[in-house]
Amino acid sequence: MKELMLGNKAVARGLYEAGCSVISSYPGTPSTEITEEAAKYDEIYCEWAPNEKVALEAAHGATLGGVRAACAMKHVGLNVAADPLFTISYQGLNAGLVICVADDPGMHSSQNEQDSRHYARAAKVPMLEPSDSEEAREFVHRAYEISENYNTPVLLRLCTRVAHSQSVTQTTERVLPERVPYVKDPAKVMMTKNSRDAHVRVEQRTRDLTAWAESCSLNRMELGTDTSLGIITSGTCYEYAREVWGEMASILKIGMSYPLPEQLFLDFARKVDRLIVLEELDPILEDHCRKLGLSVEGKSLFPICGELSPNLIRQAAGLPVPESRKLEEEIPMRPPVMCAGCPHRGVFYILKKLGCMVYGDIGCYTLGAVAPLNAMDLNVCMGASCSGLHGFLKAAGDEWESRSVGVIGDSTFIHSGITGVIDSAYNMSNSTIIILDNSITGMTGHQQNPATGKNLRGEPAGKVDLEALCRAVGFERVRVEDPYDLEAFEEALKEELTAQAPSIIISRRPCVMIKGVKHEAPIEPKTEKCVGCKSCMRIGCPAISVAEGKVRIDTTLCVGCKVCSKLCKFGVL
Amino acid sequence: MGHLEGDNEMETKNIMIVGVGGQGTLLASKLLGWVLMEKGYDVKVSEVHGMSQRGGSVVTYVRYGERVYSPVIDRGEADIIVAFEQLEAARWLDYLKVGGRILVNTQKTEPMPVITGSAVYPEDLPEKMRSAGAQVDAWDFLLPARMAGSAKAVNIALMGRLSTYFPEDWESVWQEGLEKNVPERFLEMNRKAFEFGKKIQELDK
């Protein structure tokens, strides 16, 4: 059947068709919909794991149990999963394993733009790279074949423009492979001789795959009538190349970006006059060409940083770009903001008021860094707020203890924050951590997590008791506060900052965007009392603006949280 | 304003849908993409999810033709821009082909820098875009949405107006598209919004 399908949905479709039976993932833009869409098929068991390392280990465990399995994550998630990845590469599988990883060139929703192709080479694991939805679906089938033929996990690399683009896809029916029985094999214990033997096997596997890459249909030489220029490319860049140079151009399209063929590159080079490599992020195909002694242009023309686009490529290649007109007018920016009624807002308002050093983390609450709150000092990666603050306090000393906090969401805390607070409890730093528990994984589009009491499908599930967990790892000072109650929250925070013991404040209030969370009636401002002091504007609520010197509430946005009311001294709100 | 008759059928056409995160641009592009595929075109729709959806500036690219390659539309390439908000129309204007059409919902949503007073919301944007050579089709689409029963149906009201740019005999496909892409409990309301959007010229008098 023909369907217009999102790249991520096409991956899910491919997993379904190829008989994948278990998926364990952690959400992360732009990979999240792979698992969400797969969960719509009753035949696939799907779960959200606490983090990507656990997800990969669980998926690998499922292959040992005899079924095809998968996991999905964003590029930075692969850093977390790197530990099992490298050794699973050695140990092998019992049934096929596909690891979907979505890179984010241009950082639409990420803290860095690392290139996952490095992992394929580093872990010696083959990587496939589709360039549209139809390939995304088809390459899942191919990935399982490679995985089982060569006894290796296979990475399926997407980028934002493949993951989040819809294109026409041809679907097929599901074919379920026979379950592979589990048999104890002493060679699977990864130590000493077993590991040394495994490494030798992995090197041979890479040589075998390299030989196969020369003739496999994933890599394609498309010689056009114009051979004055030859373009070596992969993924979305293939689509850009066709867009810019048209159907007459000669292209070497690489569908398997690791391991790369050699003879195929050399053959292509002989057939064209000039070679360019078109790839986003790092010069991986380009370096391969240089290793083969080919003279190519790549990063000398196109940038390493950011996404490529048709015009950017045209400009770099000296081709004309379409004419366009801008308004002379200054157009104000529209940065993302915390939603009206967001429970995080009050917390950041208090942190700003108290002038705290705030070590932030990854989630919606990273928006606490933007104007007018500007209340976050920095963030690094999932969980760093807890461990980073601990290290900071060990160095900065007592004077900072009373004005430094780590701020982390519930899902992020479970993902990687918990080990950081254990460091803090065990090694006794006098830290204050605020867990922003909004009962959901917000930024990636509302996924359940181990602290919400529901599983991926929204059914009742096990639930981490955050208070008990924090106490169990050694925090004696653990309290729960309501972030809508600014006064009480401020008092609590002051107490914990001055306390001579590490403490955790759980700021508990569900995200207002969760279905079923009750909204209060919008605020009706008593405009006649408004003096236009703009005190209410300090919290940066998108529902509040000032028109003709008086406050105005956007009733389509306001959910009646009344945080602004607490800032108004004139009883307007 | 006539439909796309007389254009080269084979050439890839570009439509951008721009707005503010939360305005329902994704549903609009899903509907449009579905209709174009149903009419036999190769189609690509590129969306933005994640961080920027939180009230930020959002853009969706819809491309169709005999064979579509790039999932994105670049500056100077859009045949049509559908803007859910005035300021977003102005922000993306340089993506429009010179002389291209821009369908604008005249609703204003102030961005945070305007709310906090560090920037000013520019006046008379539709007029300024006209002066820059764009064919501007600007109406208040909140009106048909509210008439249909919800301010949230602005997206489908805009699609109603956009449908008038295409041949009239596409109507049944648009209707089927609504059925296939809009959740059932909102279907009737969205059908009305689509209808009122189509007739915006008569409503806005």
Side-chain angles (χ1 to χ4, degrees):
Chain A
M1 211 183 86
K2 225 172 74 171
E3 198 180 321
L4 187 60
M5 229 185 234
L6 195 69
N8 281 344
K9 189 176 174 184
V11 172
R13 178 72 203 184
L15 291 167
Y16 167 76
E17 291 171 0
C20 172
S21 297
V22 173
I23 301 176
S24 182
S25 302
Y26 185 81
T29 314
S31 73
T32 312
E33 300 83 4
I34 295 173
T35 310
E36 287 180 325
E37 290 292 339
K40 292 177 183 166
Y41 299 105
D42 290 339
E43 295 90 335
I44 311 177
Y45 168 79
C46 293
E47 66 173 26
W48 292 128
N51 66 34
E52 296 85 354
K53 170 178 148 64
V54 174
L56 176 52
E57 290 156 352
H60 177 242
T63 79
L64 298 178
V67 300
R68 286 188 169 181
C71 55
M73 59 197 68
K74 66 185 293 172
H75 58 325
V76 285
L78 192 53
N79 300 334
V80 181
D83 196 2
L85 174 69
F86 281 65
T87 303
I88 290 169
S89 167
Y90 276 31
Q91 194 197 53
L93 323 148
N94 205 18
L97 175 59
V98 176
I99 303 161
C100 311
V101 57
D103 286 12
D104 190 16
M107 295 174 277
H108 298 277
S109 202
S110 303
Q111 66 270 37
N112 76 29
E113 59 182 352
Q114 69 188 45
D115 189 326
S116 292
R117 292 177 297 171
H118 292 292
Y119 271 111
R121 184 174 171 181
K124 301 170 195 279
V125 163
M127 173 179 268
L128 307 191
E129 219 178 325
S131 66
D132 62 13
S133 298
E134 173 55 13
E135 280 193 353
R137 186 197 63 81
E138 192 209 330
F139 280 19
V140 173
H141 291 266
R142 312 300 303 275
Y144 276 118
E145 288 160 22
I146 297 169
S147 176
E148 289 169 359
N149 290 343
Y150 291 87
N151 193 20
T152 176
V154 175
L155 287 158
L156 182 78
R157 180 197 186 223
L158 311 171
C159 65
T160 301
R161 297 301 180 186
V162 173
H164 286 166
S165 291
Q166 302 177 43
S167 57
V168 181
T169 310
Q170 198 77 42
T171 60
T172 64
E173 288 313 306
R174 175 173 170 93
V175 178
L176 187 66
E178 231 171 275
R179 181 184 285 270
V180 187
Y182 175 75
V183 180
K184 183 171 173 170
D185 174 6
K188 286 214 185 291
V189 180
M190 288 292 106
M191 55 190 278
T192 57
K193 182 170 181 307
N194 285 349
S195 295
R196 287 195 287 266
D197 291 347
H199 188 188
V200 173
R201 278 199 307 274
V202 165
E203 293 306 321
Q204 184 57 46
R205 180 177 78 200
T206 302
R207 282 192 293 275
D208 293 346
L209 275 160
T210 306
W212 182 74
E214 299 289 357
S215 58
C216 80
S217 60
L218 292 163
N219 301 324
R220 243 186 3 238
M221 200 191 298
E222 300 177 347
L223 286 178
T225 47
D226 181 2
T227 52
S228 62
L229 179 70
I231 304 144
I232 301 172
T233 189
S234 66
T236 336
C237 289
Y238 168 77
E239 308 292 336
Y240 294 152
R242 280 278 171 237
E243 186 72 34
V244 169
W245 283 285
E247 301 189 353
M248 300 299 114
S250 296
I251 296 180
L252 176 59
K253 181 185 184 299
I254 298 300
M256 181 159 81
S257 32
Y258 186 81
L260 290 166
E262 296 184 352
Q263 199 54 48
L264 186 64
F265 274 68
L266 296 170
D267 288 348
F268 181 68
R270 264 194 296 273
K271 292 190 163 95
V272 298
D273 303 334
R274 175 187 169 212
L275 266 187
I276 65 167
V277 175
L278 188 67
E279 58 190 327
E280 268 172 344
L281 304 180
D282 295 338
I284 288 173
L285 297 173
E286 185 179 350
D287 286 353
H288 182 69
C289 291
R290 293 198 198 289
K291 198 184 86 184
L292 297 173
L294 297 173
S295 162
V296 293
E297 294 158 89
K299 293 299 164 191
S300 57
L301 298 171
F302 311 108
I304 284 187
C305 303
E307 271 191 312
L308 296 181
S309 76
N311 277 357
L312 212 149
I313 295 164
R314 288 179 187 117
Q315 267 159 351
L319 300 167
V321 296
E323 194 191 335
S324 67
R325 284 194 199 147
K326 256 181 131 68
L327 289 190
E328 279 165 31
E329 200 93 21
E330 184 81 24
I331 306 294
M333 299 274 287
R334 189 185 300 275
V337 289
M338 281 190 267
C339 307
C342 176
H344 305 331
R345 179 172 283 108
V347 175
F348 285 105
Y349 171 74
I350 300 292
L351 288 169
K352 182 179 186 172
K353 187 176 170 193
L354 300 185
C356 289
M357 181 279 192
V358 178
Y359 200 129
D361 222 297
I362 310 289
C364 282
Y365 47 92
T366 311
L367 294 171
V370 304
L373 289 163
N374 304 108
M376 187 182 285
D377 286 47
L378 77 156
N379 67 331
V380 178
C381 62
M382 300 282 282
S385 57
C386 302
S387 32
L389 178 72
H390 165 75
F392 176 78
L393 294 178
K394 285 289 178 193
D398 298 351
E399 56 162 325
W400 284 91
E401 284 178 2
S402 57
R403 55 190 171 103
S404 305
V405 299
V407 173
I408 185 165
D410 48 335
S411 186
T412 310
F413 181 74
I414 300 280
H415 179 288
S416 295
I418 180 66
T419 41
V421 296
I422 290 175
D423 191 20
S424 187
Y426 170 51
N427 290 307
M428 299 198 287
S429 61
N430 189 10
S431 62
T432 303
I433 301 292
I434 301 174
I435 301 176
L436 299 168
D437 179 9
N438 64 351
S439 308
I440 206 76
T441 311
M443 181 59 86
T444 46
H446 283 175
Q447 288 74 33
Q448 303 296 338
N449 69 57
T452 66
K454 287 181 186 158
N455 68 16
L456 187 153
R457 291 191 160 104
E459 301 150 349
K463 186 178 194 303
V464 172
D465 180 336
L466 288 175
E467 296 92 303
L469 175 65
C470 295
R471 288 200 182 93
V473 302
F475 282 78
E476 281 167 20
R477 302 185 68 96
V478 179
R479 61 200 288 175
V480 179
E481 299 293 336
D482 178 358
Y484 278 180
D485 189 344
L486 295 184
E487 216 168 292
F489 197 94
E490 183 175 346
E491 275 320 298
L493 181 58
K494 280 181 181 162
E495 262 177 56
E496 298 312 327
L497 284 169
T498 47
Q500 290 306 305
S503 49
I504 288 181
I505 302 174
I506 299 170
S507 166
R508 181 162 290 152
R509 182 53 91 159
C511 169
V512 292
M513 306 303 278
I514 299 177
K515 269 185 199 148
V517 169
K518 199 172 158 274
H519 294 177
E520 300 298 326
I523 299 256
E524 288 176 34
K526 298 173 192 67
T527 317
E528 67 284 357
K529 291 190 192 171
C530 181
V531 297
C533 71
K534 295 187 179 174
S535 286
C536 54
M537 307 280 285
R538 287 178 296 173
I539 49 169
C541 176
I544 307 175
S545 57
V546 169
E548 287 150 14
K550 305 273 189 191
V551 68
R552 188 177 59 182
I553 300 290
D554 182 337
T555 52
T556 64
L557 293 177
C558 179
V559 298
C561 76
K562 299 191 180 66
V563 168
C564 59
S565 311
K566 284 143 200 154
L567 302 180
C568 181
K569 293 193 181 80
F570 302 92
V572 181
L573 298 168
Chain B
M1 210 168 278
H3 55 70
L4 300 176
E5 245 174 6
D7 294 337
N8 180 355
E9 286 275 318
M10 313 297 269
E11 203 180 301
T12 298
K13 294 280 187 303
N14 300 316
I15 303 177
M16 282 168 67
I17 299 177
V18 303
V20 179
Q23 279 189 313
T25 52
L26 287 184
L27 178 62
S29 62
K30 198 174 154 195
L31 170 64
L32 178 59
W34 191 91
V35 166
L36 293 166
M37 197 191 79
E38 212 48 31
K39 294 308 294 181
Y41 292 104
D42 186 24
V43 181
K44 281 195 177 163
V45 178
S46 192
E47 310 166 352
V48 173
H49 300 212
M51 173 72 98
S52 45
Q53 278 182 292
R54 300 272 171 267
S57 169
V58 292
V59 56
T60 304
Y61 306 104
V62 180
R63 311 192 69 213
Y64 66 102
E66 195 192 15
R67 172 74 170 92
V68 179
Y69 290 107
S70 167
V72 302
I73 297 167
D74 218 323
R75 286 185 178 78
E77 288 187 334
D79 298 277
I80 299 170
I81 295 179
V82 182
F84 282 44
E85 199 272 350
Q86 280 196 37
L87 190 65
E88 295 312 308
R91 182 187 318 285
W92 295 95
L93 187 70
D94 59 335
Y95 279 69
L96 194 66
K97 274 184 185 161
V98 173
R101 272 191 265 193
I102 183 158
L103 170 58
V104 186
N105 174 24
T106 51
Q107 208 181 331
K108 288 184 184 180
T109 305
E110 293 186 352
M112 197 48 72
V114 171
I115 289 177
T116 59
S118 68
V120 178
Y121 197 108
E123 297 291 327
D124 306 322
L125 286 171
E127 210 30 64
K128 285 170 184 163
M129 290 190 282
R130 248 173 228 126
S131 308
Q135 299 179 57
V136 180
D137 188 21
W139 308 92
D140 176 10
F141 283 90
L142 207 51
L143 182 71
R146 287 210 167 114
M147 281 172 62
S150 166
K152 289 193 172 143
V154 160
N155 55 354
I156 301 299
L158 273 154
M159 288 297 106
R161 177 65 180 171
L162 180 71
S163 75
T164 66
Y165 294 8
F166 292 91
E168 271 173 42
D169 60 7
W170 285 29
E171 177 60 22
S172 60
V173 182
W174 282 102
Q175 289 303 329
E176 204 189 332
L178 284 170
E179 215 166 282
K180 290 268 159 64
N181 293 285
V182 173
E184 209 187 323
R185 63 185 190 283
F186 300 123
L187 183 60
E188 267 326 295
M189 190 257 290
N190 277 299
R191 275 199 204 282
K192 281 187 203 159
F194 188 84
E195 220 33 55
F196 291 138
K198 258 168 74 178
K199 295 180 182 140
I200 187 93
Q201 252 166 319
E202 295 157 39
L203 298 181
D204 216 24
K205 272 172 191 165

